[in-house]
Amino acid sequence: MPQGETFHRAVSKVLFISQIYGLLPVSNVRALDVADIRFRWCSPRILYSLLIGILNLSEFGAVINYVIKVTINFHTSSTLSLYIVCLLEHLFFWRLAIQWPRIMRTWHGVEQLFLRVPYRFYGEYRIKKRIYIVFTIVMSSALVEHCLLLGNSFHLSNMERTQCKINVTYFESIYKWERPHLYMILPYHFWMLPILEWVNQTIAYPRSFTDCFIMCIGIGLAARFHQLYRRIAAVHRKVMPAVFWTEVREHYLALKRLVHLLDAAIAPLVLLAFGNNMSFICFQLFNSFKNIGVDFLVMLAFWYSLGFAVVRTLLTIFVASSINDYERKIVTALRDVPSKAWSIEVQRFSEQLGNDTTALSGSGFFYLTRSLVLAMGTTIITYELMISDVINQGSIRQKTQYCREY
């Protein structure tokens, strides 16, 4: 690993891109020195993020007005939850931005232990490359999902306009289909469409980026646990002096404190992300038993969106759980320490490793370990079995209904 490959330098470009969508409004996020990172209440980034928040909040008010007039049902409640999740994600990233300069300075201080000899010999984890790969795959897939859903809306709005003989222009029909809550209170103007599409992206982007951000944090922390494990594995079954185990134990405790710091900072985001993913997957599974039409574009957008949510959730778990995986490997390595080399320092290290779970969590409700995959899978299967008993599967391939009442 190059000496300068710190987490801050590896993730700075990713965070800069997220600021385009109003997330994590921190000044100097791409600075080479973490000491230059600042959170300023009076800065262009804060004002820009505040503007996006006001636009999203205003549209959320329009959604509430629309839902009250058309009555609350299963589908309108999902629209409400989408905007609530979006607003909470922006709020939690603001909360994190206030703490981010302090977190980065603490993280940088801990990383200095692992950028020196002997850890530099065990540093082939390539933090930056992994973060860029994860970000590119997840956000490119999210862009494909967004384009499919947008194309689906264009197609369905045009079908409604032509088949239902609605006397409006093509772009007005898109506006009516995509934003029925705004159509009730704001007349159509062509210049509004680019602005509304930008607002739509600021709503859609955080859903995938939150998972991506959790993965980036997991990669950064796992890289250091990987180095610690490699150093211990390099002396497998060898007799080492007590000073070696003292140093390794102190470095492990420094990493564990860093994990606790990050866990406290991003726990609300983790809880919100996984709660939103699970609810979205269950909602789409419910829709899969109902009439989703025979139109190819509708089917493609629907199944791609569902599959992407499932894959993104699993990928987040597997990447973030690597922190706990390396800790378990360290525990296994300690069991192979020869009895003649066993000392009070090894004993203390062993006891500290087994005290609690070292992993990111959702505010303590669950931990991002591999066992979470089984728990979530069991929940989804149980839900699938329950709804299959009350929904007629024969209605899946009925004709799509284009005409709607407002």
Side-chain angles (χ1 to χ4, degrees):
M1 179 192 299
Q3 187 174 358
E5 192 177 50
T6 62
F7 174 77
H8 165 67
R9 294 187 180 182
V11 81
S12 59
K13 290 183 180 179
V14 171
L15 298 183
F16 179 76
I17 293 173
S18 74
Q19 290 185 334
I20 299 174
Y21 299 88
L23 301 178
L24 205 72
V26 178
S27 300
N28 303 325
V29 73
R30 294 191 62 189
L32 296 179
D33 189 351
V34 294
D36 295 330
I37 302 176
R38 295 285 187 274
F39 177 83
R40 298 185 179 93
W41 285 104
C42 294
S43 68
R45 286 176 172 82
I46 290 292
L47 296 177
Y48 177 69
S49 181
L50 184 62
L51 174 62
I52 290 177
I54 291 173
L55 290 174
N56 290 338
L57 190 61
S58 300
E59 187 163 358
F60 178 59
V63 170
I64 294 177
N65 176 67
Y66 173 76
V67 169
I68 291 174
K69 290 187 176 180
V70 302
T71 69
I72 297 179
N73 55 44
F74 189 70
H75 294 280
T76 55
S77 62
S78 70
T79 304
L80 273 175
S81 65
L82 170 65
Y83 281 88
I84 291 172
V85 168
C86 170
L87 291 172
L88 286 176
E89 283 172 334
H90 279 277
L91 178 64
F92 290 155
F93 270 109
W94 264 65
R95 173 182 176 270
L96 181 62
I98 297 173
Q99 307 174 55
W100 194 250
R102 178 175 61 89
I103 290 173
M104 283 295 95
R105 285 192 287 271
T106 304
W107 197 327
H108 182 75
V110 174
E111 280 187 318
Q112 297 311 301
L113 300 172
F114 297 89
L115 296 176
R116 299 194 297 259
V117 176
Y119 290 107
R120 285 178 60 189
F121 299 123
Y122 311 117
E124 71 281 2
Y125 203 77
R126 297 179 182 177
I127 301 176
K128 181 181 289 188
K129 181 179 179 181
R130 289 173 182 253
I131 286 177
Y132 284 1
I133 289 174
V134 164
F135 180 78
T136 302
I137 292 175
V138 173
M139 300 316 297
S140 296
S141 301
L143 179 61
V144 172
E145 179 192 33
H146 183 73
C147 292
L148 281 175
L149 294 176
L150 203 60
N152 184 39
S153 294
F154 288 178
H155 171 68
L156 292 179
S157 64
N158 187 53
M159 294 297 293
E160 180 189 49
R161 183 176 68 92
T162 55
Q163 294 190 9
C164 305
K165 303 185 186 306
I166 300 175
N167 188 24
V168 295
T169 64
Y170 174 71
F171 288 107
E172 184 174 354
S173 69
I174 293 173
Y175 173 56
K176 181 180 178 182
W177 184 277
E178 273 281 281
R179 293 291 197 277
H181 49 279
L182 292 180
Y183 189 76
M184 294 179 65
I185 57 178
L186 288 177
Y188 162 76
H189 296 285
F190 181 78
W191 59 265
M192 294 171 55
L193 295 184
I195 298 175
L196 292 177
E197 173 55 24
W198 174 245
V199 174
N200 189 29
Q201 289 190 32
T202 64
I203 293 171
Y205 182 87
R207 191 183 71 177
S208 296
F209 178 74
T210 302
D211 289 330
C212 188
F213 179 74
I214 295 169
M215 284 186 263
C216 291
I217 296 292
I219 290 171
L221 292 172
R224 306 312 173 194
F225 277 93
H226 170 75
Q227 287 179 280
L228 187 67
Y229 164 69
R230 286 291 307 277
R231 185 182 179 187
I232 296 173
V235 297
H236 182 65
R237 295 186 180 278
K238 294 181 180 179
V239 178
M240 301 300 294
V243 66
F244 170 84
W245 295 111
T246 300
E247 183 179 75
V248 168
R249 183 176 63 84
E250 289 175 351
H251 293 170
Y252 165 77
L253 291 177
L255 282 179
K256 191 154 188 170
R257 286 190 293 268
L258 181 61
V259 172
H260 288 164
L261 175 65
L262 266 298
D263 184 46
I266 71 169
L269 280 170
V270 174
L271 183 61
L272 182 64
F274 278 85
N276 180 51
N277 287 344
M278 281 294 292
S279 63
F280 178 78
I281 291 170
C282 290
F283 176 77
Q284 292 294 77
L285 286 174
F286 175 82
N287 285 334
S288 70
F289 283 96
K290 298 187 67 180
N291 175 25
I292 58 176
V294 295
D295 194 297
F296 175 75
L297 186 57
V298 176
M299 298 281 286
L300 177 62
F302 174 84
W303 289 112
Y304 182 90
S305 182
L306 175 57
F308 176 55
V310 172
V311 172
R312 189 181 69 237
T313 303
L314 291 176
L315 185 61
T316 304
I317 295 174
F318 280 117
V319 172
S321 66
S322 56
I323 301 170
N324 184 254
D325 292 343
Y326 283 120
E327 185 189 52
R328 294 172 65 182
K329 288 181 179 181
I330 294 173
V331 173
T332 302
L334 280 183
R335 292 173 183 166
D336 293 333
V337 173
S339 57
K340 59 182 178 180
W342 193 266
S343 64
I344 187 64
E345 285 299 325
V346 179
Q347 180 67 30
R348 291 176 65 185
F349 191 16
S350 180
E351 290 174 355
Q352 288 169 340
L353 280 166
N355 274 342
D356 56 9
T357 302
T358 302
L360 300 175
S361 72
S363 297
F365 290 102
F366 57 87
Y367 289 92
L368 298 187
T369 62
R370 290 182 183 269
S371 59
L372 183 61
V373 175
L374 182 61
M376 294 182 67
T378 303
T379 302
I380 292 173
I381 291 173
T382 303
Y383 173 80
E384 186 85 356
L385 292 174
M386 288 176 60
I387 62 175
S388 65
D389 289 336
V390 295
I391 295 180
N392 180 15
Q393 299 184 39
S395 65
I396 291 178
R397 299 194 60 80
Q398 294 176 2
K399 182 179 178 180
T400 301
Q401 181 66 35
Y402 297 109
C403 301
R404 303 187 299 179
E405 295 182 359
Y406 293 89

